[in-house]
Amino acid sequence: MAEYILIVDEQDRETGYMEKMEVHKKGILHRAFSVMIFNDNGEVLIQKRAKRKYHSPGLWTNSCCSHQREGETLTEAVARRIQEELGITCDCKEEFRFKYRVEFDNGLIEHEIDHVFIGHYNGNVFPNEDEVEEIRWVPLDKLHKEMREHPEDFTYWFKILMKQPEMELIVQHISEGKACK
């Protein structure tokens, strides 16, 4: 069944819906979201994308990410996708957004305004093996070191997300023990 996602203008205003693969083949600007989930230890949950994903398979990325579908709000999309990918419920708050564009080797193009949500969770995670190959909780200093030493192991958008000034402030607060609850 075709999935229709929200396309937007440069100011992130809704302009309609289009089939997801068509959006990615044509490089049309669309709304996306990335979720960063932290625990009480200040660790972030990251996932390795399943090998069957249409782009960036087998790469480490943020806790959860996807697109807003027709008929749902952005908040509903975030909750839906956290449940679909990770098998959990987790309240999240939108903190910032950024825009990027990348062309992949397979001809697909991500051209997104990515809304970044931060959540807090301490329980078990039940990843969907169709979406997620592996998960792990990682301390932020270790994550930064891994991203510096092996950038090829991480998704394009995750590397951009982690360099955003707003994310650097969030990381600083968490490192100082000010958990985002």
Side-chain angles (χ1 to χ4, degrees), residues 3 10 16-17 25 32-33 39 53-54 57 62-63 66 76 87 92 95 101 111 124 131 147 149 152-154 166 178:
E3 180 180 350
E10 293 289 330
Y17 292 88
K25 287 176 183 173
F33 59 86
N39 64 17
K53 298 296 275 186
Y54 63 98
N62 48 289
S63 308
S66 192
E76 290 168 343
C92 297
E95 294 291 342
R101 185 180 190 282
H111 188 197
N124 293 325
E131 300 288 339
M147 291 179 99
E149 293 177 357
E152 70 281 0
D153 292 345
F154 296 89
E166 299 91 343
K178 300 173 187 169

Side-chain angles (χ1 to χ4, degrees), residues 34-36 62 96 98 114 116 156-165 167-168:
S34 291
V35 179
M36 298 283 288
N62 48 289
F96 64 96
F98 66 98
D114 194 359
V116 179
Y156 185 86
W157 63 89
F158 189 34
K159 291 183 280 192
I160 294 173
L161 184 160
M162 290 301 290
K163 291 179 181 174
Q164 297 300 304
M167 192 67 222
E168 290 177 2

Side-chain angles (χ1 to χ4, degrees), residues 63-166:
S63 308
C64 176
C65 53
S66 192
H67 306 94
Q68 183 177 342
R69 291 180 181 163
E70 189 169 13
E72 67 184 357
T73 67
L74 185 55
T75 303
E76 290 168 343
V78 168
R80 170 187 51 82
R81 199 62 184 157
I82 290 171
Q83 178 63 46
E84 288 174 355
E85 286 189 15
L86 303 173
I88 64 172
T89 57
C90 175
D91 289 332
C92 297
K93 180 182 175 201
E94 184 174 355
E95 294 291 342
F96 64 96
R97 68 181 81 154
F98 66 98
K99 186 176 120 181
Y100 76 97
R101 185 180 190 282
V102 61
E103 295 183 25
F104 295 102
D105 291 340
N106 65 2
L108 296 178
I109 302 165
E110 279 289 16
H111 188 197
E112 298 182 335
I113 296 180
D114 194 359
H115 294 247
V116 179
F117 286 76
I118 304 296
H120 180 261
Y121 183 80
N122 282 303
N124 293 325
V125 180
F126 308 95
N128 177 345
E129 64 186 33
D130 291 333
E131 300 288 339
V132 179
E133 182 178 321
E134 186 179 342
I135 60 163
R136 63 187 169 111
W137 291 98
V138 61
L140 290 164
D141 56 345
K142 183 177 179 187
L143 176 61
H144 282 294
K145 183 176 190 272
E146 287 180 26
M147 291 179 99
R148 272 192 317 275
E149 293 177 357
H150 301 285
E152 70 281 0
D153 292 345
F154 296 89
T155 61
Y156 185 86
W157 63 89
F158 189 34
K159 291 183 280 192
I160 294 173
L161 184 160
M162 290 301 290
K163 291 179 181 174
Q164 297 300 304
E166 299 91 343

Side-chain angles (χ1 to χ4, degrees), residues 4-69:
Y4 288 82
I5 62 174
L6 180 62
I7 56 176
V8 296
D9 66 14
E10 293 289 330
Q11 287 72 44
D12 196 38
R13 293 182 298 230
E14 299 181 12
T15 60
Y17 292 88
M18 187 178 286
E19 196 277 322
K20 182 170 88 171
M21 288 310 292
E22 183 180 0
V23 167
H24 291 98
K25 287 176 183 173
K26 294 180 177 178
I28 294 171
L29 185 61
H30 58 284
R31 186 175 293 160
F33 59 86
S34 291
V35 179
M36 298 283 288
I37 299 174
F38 294 90
N39 64 17
D40 283 346
N41 298 324
E43 299 167 317
V44 63
L45 178 66
I46 62 173
Q47 66 161 279
K48 185 183 275 191
R49 290 169 60 85
K51 294 229 185 327
R52 66 174 266 302
K53 298 296 275 186
Y54 63 98
H55 70 70
S56 307
L59 295 180
W60 287 101
T61 197
N62 48 289
S63 308
C64 176
C65 53
S66 192
H67 306 94
Q68 183 177 342
R69 291 180 181 163

